[in-house]
Structures are given as structure tokens and as C-alpha cells.
Amino acid sequence: MSEGPGAYDPLAGLDAVDWASHRHAYGPAVDVPGLLRALYRPDEAADAADTLLVNVHHQGGCVASASVAALPFLVRAATDPAVGATVRMDLIDLVACVAHEGNRVAPRWIAPGWSEAWDRAAPGLLPLLHDPGPEVRTAAAGALSEAHGRADAALAALWARHARETVPEVLGALVDAAGELAVHADREREPSLARLRALTEPAAGPGQRLRAVAALRAAGLEGNHARVVGEVAFLDADERPVEHGSWRSVPDDDALCAAALRALTGMSGGTTAAG
């Protein structure tokens, strides 16, 4: 943390929260402020992040009020270079897990104020798309895929990063996130779907083509996706259709396409083209 008069304090406001009135999986959240402070102590940070995951997220199934109160501090720590890279990764994953539950479970299991808190906090993750560490960029894309209320801003940032990205794993995560968010977007919906369609073309490379098909399916867009999967499945080493292959007659069948995607995306991680 920065020190000195007027310096940025990522823990500003921590003591103003009535932590005893909030709850997590093990009762009143009185331990949370101490754990958040420990994130900035190198010898305590990893254990603190682990304990926050267990207490605040636990096994999922709900969003506790402690998550609402802790969220802004978790995002600040996740984006603070003063916090170790491994700990930052753990915090991004924690935020993503809680946000996923907030999008998934019934409203009665979500503490009041979560949706508003997540909408306020999510933009704070956008700079992580340009982090020097590819694993951080990958995790950030995954967390931002849960930012349904900020879908337009998140999509714009994801595509801006995609234009510059060279690491296959990150490229795949960016495409995955775009597919998850497109259905929730307004102004960025059609441009994102157009970009995803373009990534199904041969010039994108087999890995990106498969990820784009999966993303389009996640966005609920109908199309001859099985054709693309079939083309990729029956490419030879020179990336030409195998003469005896049957890819030209692969049916546009949802079950076939889904099964092929599950098999092929697991085998094609190293074939994704740099963008």
C-alpha cells in the first residue's frame, strides 16, 4: 500500500463498515476486515485469501451479505500491484465465483445490494485485461463474463484486448467471455456477434473457430455451427479438408455439435491462432 499524506489507500472505508451486522458461511463477518488487511502483508496474504474464499464464498449456493460488503476491497486488492500475483489470482477467482452465484441462484439466496455492488465494482477489473501476466488476463476475462449488468462496457474492453492479444489461452478466454456477455448487451450485442461470426472463418485458425462456435451457442445464436466443427475436425496436417472425410455432409445437429465441441476444444488448446 502507498504511504504518506494523500496517498491512495485501498482499505479506505474498511472501518466504516459494520462488519458484525454482516454474515458469511461461519457467522458474523467480524473476521473479514482483518483478513482484508492481511492481503497486504506478504507473509499472511496467501492464507488470508484462502480463508476469504472459504468464509465468503464457501461452497456457493448463495451470496452472503459479507460478500456485498467485502467486494470493493477484494477488487481493489486484486488490481493492486502491491499484492502478490498468486494472491491476486486467488482474489479474481473469488470475485468470479461469487458473481457467478449472483447470476445463478434464486433471488432469495442473494443478499440485498449485491447486484448494485457488483455493477459498481466490475469496471474496476477492466485494467486487468492488460496485466503483464497472461494468467491474470485470462482470469480477468472469466470474471468479467459474469458482469451482466455492465455487458456493453465489458465487451468493448474484451474486444479491445483481443485485437492486441497474442497468447492463445487468453484469446480463448476473451472469446468465451464475449459469448457469455453478448446476450446481456445492448449496443455491443450485434458488433460482438459479428466478430464472433468472423472468428468462425478459416482465417481465424482452428482453435479460435471452435471457441467462437461455442461462444455463439452460448449467446443463443442459431447457425450451421456443426459445419464449422466438422471442417475443423477433418482438417489434415496442412489444414486442408481430408479427401475421404465426410465433413461436407456433417448435419446441423445440436447434439452432434455440442459433443464435437466438448471433444475438440479439449484437444485444440495449443492450436488457437494469435490475434
Side-chain angles (χ1 to χ4, degrees):
M1 284 187 294
S2 300
E3 298 179 357
Y8 168 68
D9 180 7
L11 297 174
L14 186 68
D15 293 330
V17 178
D18 181 8
W19 293 100
S21 69
H22 294 285
R23 299 187 67 82
H24 54 46
Y26 295 100
V30 292
D31 58 335
V32 171
L35 293 168
L36 292 171
R37 288 190 176 92
L39 296 174
Y40 296 89
R41 303 181 191 121
D43 56 338
E44 301 176 33
D47 286 343
D50 287 344
T51 303
L52 283 165
L53 175 63
V54 172
N55 291 6
V56 173
H57 175 60
H58 195 52
Q59 297 176 349
C62 69
V63 177
S65 63
S67 300
V68 180
L71 180 62
F73 303 104
L74 294 172
V75 170
R76 291 177 200 169
T79 58
D80 194 328
V83 178
T86 301
V87 173
R88 293 170 61 216
M89 287 284 297
D90 290 342
L91 296 177
I92 297 168
D93 289 342
L94 170 55
V95 170
C97 286
V98 177
H100 179 70
E101 295 305 299
N103 289 332
R104 182 184 71 86
V105 302
R108 67 193 181 100
W109 298 113
I110 301 174
W114 166 257
S115 179
E116 296 81 1
W118 179 223
D119 282 352
R120 287 193 300 270
L125 296 173
L126 295 178
L128 292 177
L129 293 174
H130 305 287
D131 191 271
E135 69 284 353
V136 173
R137 300 197 299 276
T138 299
L144 286 165
S145 74
E146 304 292 345
H148 297 176
R150 296 286 189 175
D152 287 310
L155 281 166
L158 289 166
W159 289 118
R161 181 65 220 178
H162 189 275
R164 301 171 54 188
E165 187 57 61
T166 60
V167 178
E169 182 181 0
V170 185
L171 282 165
L174 294 169
V175 170
D176 292 347
E180 293 292 331
L181 288 170
V183 69
H184 304 284
D186 293 319
R187 70 176 185 275
E188 292 293 333
R189 173 178 167 78
E190 290 305 320
S192 291
L193 294 177
R195 288 186 174 100
L196 291 172
R197 289 191 198 97
L199 287 173
T200 67
E201 297 302 320
Q208 282 279 275
R209 295 183 76 190
L210 292 176
R211 297 299 276 263
V213 166
L216 287 167
R217 288 169 60 83
L221 194 71
E222 296 182 359
N224 195 7
H225 303 317
R227 175 189 62 80
V228 177
V229 175
E231 288 176 359
V232 174
F234 292 100
L235 290 179
D236 65 9
D238 294 324
E239 296 194 349
R240 294 190 301 268
V242 178
E243 293 300 327
H244 61 275
S246 59
W247 64 270
R248 294 184 189 278
S249 61
V250 173
D252 185 14
D253 177 80
D254 279 350
L256 172 62
C257 189
L261 278 170
R262 284 194 298 272
L264 290 170
T265 51
M267 296 167 17
S268 64
T271 63
T272 310

